[in-house]
Amino acid sequence: MNVAVVGTGYVGLVTGTCFANMGNRVWCVDVDEKKIENLKKGIIPIYEPGLSEMVLHNYNLGNLHFTTQIQEALEVCNICFIAVGTPMGEDGSADLQYVLSVAESIGKYMMRHMYVIDKSTVPVGTAGKVREKIREELNKRGSDLTFDVISNPEFLKEGSAIDDCMKPDRIVIGVDNEDAEETMRELYKPYLMNTDNFIFMDIASAEMTKYAANSMLATKISFMNEISNICERVGADVNKVRQGIGSDRRIGYSFIFPGCGYGGSCFPKDVKALVKTAEEFGYQAKLLQSVEDVNNAQKHVLVEKIMERFGADLSGKTIAVWGLAFKPDTDDMRESAAITVITDLTKAGADIRAYDPKAMEEAQKYYLKDNDKIVYCKNKYEALEGADALVLVTEWKEFRSPDFYEIGKLLKTPVIFDGRNQYSAKHVKKYGLDYYQIGVRPSCVGD
């Protein structure tokens, strides 16, 4: 099949590449000329395990094309995915300007019946707006061409997106006629040769499903962080509580790890957007608003612990920070807890020695570019040199089993503040290190 994917960000590039890998001819379209030229040279704008190799392979095979001209793609394609960003507006709503701009271009340049598929995360009712915009442009042309608008939300996880795309646990599709359903079945059939995990529904329900899924996962995280804060105050150990409730099959272990808050491109934006959508329809989403409030507060918890130990004025203190990305196996720093932690620490007077396996460039170029109190280090142990404490923010695999003897030797003050509860307090304590976790009272050598 001939498929156009408009937008070569995280979702668009992964989606287009995976379709090409199944033998389709795919045109990835983006208005960013530099990005398109770099993609043609094999330079990938994001870090995602396995993506670079798959892009290069399919580009060399001729299955994957990159262009800045949507009309070039629509000359040969009758399927067009809209996979552009829906950034958060000032009021928390999803900004649809890029989605509707693509819809306008489709209306201008489509040459045959088109299946227009919303892959971007969009609020309920967006399909209708896309349909209106395309029809408006067709009317200007005096054209009677027909088209279908379909909702096909993505459920990719950064760090495992290729696997999620090639081996989906479900494919949610919102359609309003049998022809559109059959076309989507044919397109996705290679991904589900051994299963039938298609979930077809009306378009509004498909649009809502993505927001509901992300908001549910965000709710689990904020719930566990709320429990962790209560545990610490009453003297319970949240790590043991997590095991106790996670063994209940109705609850499970996924997304109930305590920490210093969720981040990324999806959860923060989607929770806010769903709250805003509810407001627009006259409903106050109190639970979801609380999810966001708890998460925002949780990002400050690590610094509160540091100040309890060293005092509110951190002038003259140097803090080593392990992890900048919002989660492991990505360079994405959007809404990362590390941004809040480092900003709070430097405002209090501290200097920072930071290390992350993949997100250092993102931090320096974008998210922390104006903070001149940060030294970026080549490895995790270099970050410890001359530091008064270690703060772990992102649970990269290379941080899971560090040399605690080396940590104690390099730090001026033998203390670890763990924002992801990665270690055994008893084990850390054996090396003469004080250990602060989320949701557990501190484990100090002198206790």
Side-chain angles (χ1 to χ4, degrees):
M1 303 176 87
N2 294 329
V3 180
V5 179
V6 184
T8 58
Y10 191 86
V11 173
L13 187 57
V14 171
T15 299
T17 302
C18 288
F19 277 128
N21 202 58
M22 285 298 189
N24 298 289
R25 296 172 69 207
V26 178
W27 277 257
C28 287
V29 183
D30 202 291
V31 295
D32 188 330
E33 293 183 7
K34 184 177 180 181
K35 183 189 283 189
I36 290 297
E37 287 306 310
N38 282 340
L39 284 166
K40 290 178 179 179
K41 297 173 185 175
I43 301 171
I44 310 301
I46 56 174
Y47 173 73
E48 176 64 34
L51 180 60
S52 181
E53 297 84 353
M54 190 179 284
V55 169
L56 188 61
H57 173 70
N58 284 284
Y59 182 71
N60 289 336
L61 280 179
N63 288 344
L64 190 58
H65 309 265
F66 299 106
T67 179
T68 58
Q69 304 300 314
I70 190 172
Q71 56 266 47
E72 178 186 331
L74 297 185
E75 284 177 2
V76 291
C77 298
N78 69 328
I79 296 172
C80 184
F81 282 87
I82 301 177
V84 294
T86 52
M88 186 169 56
E90 291 183 6
D91 61 354
S93 63
D95 185 345
L96 297 177
Q97 63 173 309
Y98 304 114
V99 170
L100 297 180
S101 177
V102 175
E104 182 178 329
S105 295
I106 292 170
K108 284 181 180 178
Y109 299 113
M110 59 184 282
M111 301 177 68
R112 57 187 61 78
H113 181 87
M114 290 293 301
Y115 298 94
V116 180
I117 305 163
D118 281 331
K119 198 70 170 172
S120 302
T121 301
V122 294
V124 176
T126 300
K129 294 177 181 178
V130 168
R131 186 177 289 109
E132 288 174 11
K133 184 63 71 172
I134 294 173
R135 176 53 57 199
E136 181 183 317
E137 292 302 316
L138 288 173
N139 288 342
K140 289 179 184 178
R141 293 167 55 185
S143 172
D144 58 359
L145 287 172
T146 56
F147 62 93
D148 289 294
V149 178
I150 299 164
S151 177
N152 176 213
E154 55 84 16
F155 299 98
L156 306 179
K157 299 184 293 292
E158 293 191 39
S160 60
I162 296 295
D163 222 32
D164 292 340
C165 197
M166 299 298 287
K167 303 171 186 176
D169 54 8
R170 84 283 204 198
I171 296 173
V172 173
I173 300 172
V175 294
D176 58 9
N177 65 76
E178 290 184 3
D179 176 61
E181 177 177 330
E182 185 57 36
T183 298
M184 295 302 287
R185 282 189 184 277
E186 190 65 25
L187 179 63
Y188 276 109
K189 184 178 179 181
Y191 296 95
L192 299 174
M193 295 299 288
N194 299 316
T195 62
D196 188 21
N197 290 345
F198 286 108
I199 303 175
F200 285 95
M201 59 184 70
D202 60 276
I203 293 171
S205 296
E207 291 174 330
M208 185 64 178
T209 295
K210 176 58 188 286
Y211 280 112
N214 280 350
S215 295
M216 170 58 110
L217 297 176
T219 299
K220 290 185 75 174
I221 294 170
S222 281
F223 171 81
M224 204 64 208
N225 283 332
E226 189 91 287
I227 293 297
S228 75
N229 293 328
I230 299 172
C231 283
E232 190 165 345
R233 285 159 176 78
V234 302
D237 184 334
V238 73
N239 300 310
K240 294 175 181 176
V241 172
R242 180 184 64 81
Q243 292 176 332
I245 66 173
S247 58
D248 185 329
R249 284 178 294 180
R250 296 170 300 173
I251 298 172
Y253 290 103
S254 297
F255 290 86
I256 61 167
F257 287 85
C260 47
Y262 61 75
S265 63
C266 295
F267 289 4
K269 176 173 67 70
D270 293 352
V271 170
K272 285 185 175 74
L274 190 50
V275 169
K276 182 62 179 177
T277 297
E279 285 179 4
E280 290 172 352
F281 284 84
Y283 181 75
Q284 186 178 359
K286 296 177 183 178
L287 175 60
L288 295 180
Q289 186 60 61
S290 295
V291 168
E292 182 185 357
D293 293 342
V294 168
N295 189 62
N296 290 338
Q298 196 69 16
K299 291 182 179 181
H300 298 280
V301 167
L302 272 179
V303 176
E304 290 169 4
K305 291 178 180 292
I306 294 168
M307 288 180 173
E308 286 173 11
R309 175 65 181 254
F310 293 112
D313 183 1
L314 297 175
S315 300
K317 299 293 184 184
T318 298
I319 308 297
V321 175
W322 283 3
L324 298 170
F326 87 93
K327 62 179 282 188
D329 296 319
T330 181
D331 61 354
D332 193 345
M333 282 188 65
R334 283 174 286 185
E335 303 283 342
S336 171
I339 299 171
T340 302
V341 170
I342 289 173
T343 301
D344 284 356
L345 289 172
T346 54
K347 281 182 178 178
D351 292 304
I352 305 296
R353 293 179 63 81
Y355 170 70
D356 186 283
K358 294 295 178 183
M360 308 266 272
E361 187 176 343
E362 290 291 300
Q364 291 172 279
K365 282 187 175 180
Y366 305 108
Y367 298 98
L368 295 167
K369 65 178 181 179
D370 297 323
N371 195 326
D372 59 3
K373 294 176 72 66
I374 306 170
V375 173
Y376 295 93
C377 301
K378 295 178 183 177
N379 59 63
K380 60 180 182 282
Y381 295 116
E382 182 182 301
L384 301 176
E385 294 174 4
D388 293 279
L390 165 62
V391 177
L392 189 149
V393 181
T394 313
E395 64 276 31
W396 285 91
K397 287 180 181 177
E398 70 170 271
F399 300 152
R400 289 184 183 176
S401 297
D403 184 337
F404 290 107
Y405 175 77
E406 186 71 10
I407 292 173
K409 189 171 71 172
L410 290 171
L411 289 174
K412 288 186 196 175
T413 310
V415 57
I416 298 174
F417 296 90
D418 185 353
R420 300 299 175 185
N421 292 14
Q422 290 290 285
Y423 310 128
S424 158
K426 187 180 293 185
H427 183 72
V428 172
K429 201 171 179 179
K430 284 197 309 185
Y431 291 88
L433 293 159
D434 292 346
Y435 185 49
Y436 293 74
Q437 301 179 70
I438 302 293
V440 185
R441 288 180 177 173
S443 172
C444 298
V445 174
D447 293 347

